[in-house]
Amino acid sequence: MADRRDLPAEEFPSNPWPLAVVLVALTVALVLLGLGRWRSASLMIAGATGLAALLRVVLGARTAGLLVVRRRWIDVAVLTLLALGIAALALLVPPLR
């Protein structure tokens, strides 16, 4: 494999707003978790991860900013699988008594 030159810093997407929206949703989930509402918090984490996947689908690479990690389809597939897995676990675990 041939060595490739690093891209200049100007070439990397740096829009912080899509990631900030997802982090706000995760912060709300952590507050819910701190209040002892673990199922709601888990579903909120799944929702925030799904929101990240949706934003990655809808927004272009420049606009998606810091949500861009790999190719679009890889980012969306990983985030969607994580969101579905977290939601499934949150719904399948029986409540504590």
Side-chain angles (χ1 to χ4, degrees), residues 6-87:
D6 289 336
L7 294 174
E10 298 86 35
E11 297 293 321
F12 291 106
S14 62
N15 185 9
W17 297 111
L19 181 62
V21 169
V22 173
L23 290 177
V24 166
L26 286 173
T27 303
V28 171
L30 290 176
V31 169
L32 287 172
L33 186 63
L35 295 173
R37 302 184 52 114
W38 66 268
R39 189 180 308 265
S40 298
S42 299
L43 290 173
M44 186 74 180
I45 291 170
T49 308
L51 175 64
L54 179 68
L55 288 173
R56 185 65 177 103
V57 167
V58 174
L59 301 175
R62 277 269 190 231
T63 311
L66 297 173
L67 288 177
V68 176
V69 177
R70 302 279 180 201
R71 292 188 178 113
R72 179 179 287 182
W73 71 270
I74 294 173
D75 288 344
V76 172
V78 168
L79 288 168
T80 302
L81 287 173
L82 280 172
L84 291 173
I86 293 168

